[in-house]
Amino acid sequence: MTAYLLAGHLLNLLAPAALIALLMVAFSRLVPGIYTPKKALAHTWWAQAAINFVVGSAVLVAGLVLLGRDGKMLTYVLLVLAMAASQWFQLGGWKR
């Protein structure tokens, strides 16, 4: 496998985590009542997106290793749940 193909495979593996990280941060700021933290752990949108991306990437790689192939629905369900929990924790939802 060439470096070009490897880079393409890695980008396609991590693309869902990047998209969901950006959408989750955007929707948490657009929907009123959700983004009203008393003291958020990550204040800027790009820091929240980066943390969510790291969490999502870890879930996708763990799903690939444990399930043996990419693209299983269980992995995507766990991806959304883990990133939602990460965003909730970053916004201080556990303090309410």
Side-chain angles (χ1 to χ4, degrees):
M1 180 180 296
T2 64
Y4 175 73
L5 288 175
L6 180 63
H9 282 289
L10 288 176
L11 287 175
N12 286 324
L13 173 69
L14 301 178
L19 179 66
I20 293 174
L22 291 174
L23 288 176
M24 191 167 295
V25 172
F27 285 140
S28 73
R29 293 181 182 245
L30 290 177
V31 177
I34 292 177
Y35 186 69
T36 54
K38 294 178 182 167
K39 186 169 185 177
L41 297 178
H43 294 284
T44 59
W45 68 269
W46 55 268
Q48 290 179 4
I51 292 169
N52 287 338
F53 176 71
V54 169
V55 169
S57 298
V59 169
L60 287 174
V61 170
L64 176 64
V65 170
L66 294 175
L67 298 175
R69 71 180 280 223
D70 179 31
K72 294 275 191 173
M73 288 306 294
L74 177 63
T75 305
Y76 291 135
V77 168
L78 293 177
L79 169 73
V80 171
L81 291 176
M83 291 177 76
S86 171
Q87 184 69 19
W88 174 77
F89 184 75
Q90 290 179 60
L91 293 178
W94 48 278
K95 291 180 185 178
R96 295 178 193 184

